[in-house]
Amino acid sequence: MRFGLGYDSWTGGPGMGGRGRHGGPRGPRGRVLGGDELKLVLLALIAETPRHGYDLIRAIEGKTGGAYAPSPGVVYPTLTLLTDMGLIDEQASEGTRKRFAVTEAGTAQLTTDAAQVGELFERLAALGEHRARTDAGPIHRARANLRTAIHHRLAADVDTETLHRVAAILDEAAQKVERL
């Protein structure tokens, strides 16, 4: 019952991953995780510790540095499928959330697919590293602060000398950024 990488209809070959729309690591057909890959990731996370569906979503989001969180609309049906396959079991838990634990069959499946599981977690980590390298959040914040400061300063009647001084500050900042 090997999950395998599947067939990638875009390339005509196995779904081996590649780059997503924004250059980050992606799976078959540009998705972060294909269906079989999500099964393995969820199974591996449940094998680490019994978890609820929401915990699994947050765990994957954490492994990608917030770059990806699977939707409940794919996670919960996949948990049902893993249960139907006998790879996980629902455990008694408090409240309405279902908590799942890996079965012996699930552990055996993880042993069989250990290399693929390792590759999947490497890909999730790479996605997080890519996001960390390309996260322009501080730049967007600084640019918004600059825009606000200029708007407030120039909202009132401003003399020509002040306009030239603001322009000189902006030109100097642009030159410093170009030299980085």
Side-chain angles (χ1 to χ4, degrees), residues 117-140:
V117 170
E119 291 169 8
L120 291 170
F121 279 95
E122 286 174 13
R123 195 163 79 211
L124 293 176
L127 184 60
E129 290 167 10
H130 175 75
R131 179 184 177 140
R133 285 191 312 271
T134 59
D135 185 10
I139 300 298
H140 294 303

Side-chain angles (χ1 to χ4, degrees), residues 44-89:
L45 290 171
I46 292 168
E48 288 176 1
T49 184
R51 299 178 193 245
H52 304 285
Y54 181 78
D55 296 333
L56 291 162
I57 293 169
R58 293 297 151 245
I60 293 171
E61 184 177 31
K63 293 199 178 291
T64 64
Y68 171 69
S71 73
V74 296
V75 169
Y76 289 102
T78 303
L79 291 172
T80 300
L81 181 60
L82 289 170
T83 302
D84 292 346
M85 294 171 73
L87 302 175
I88 62 173
D89 275 331

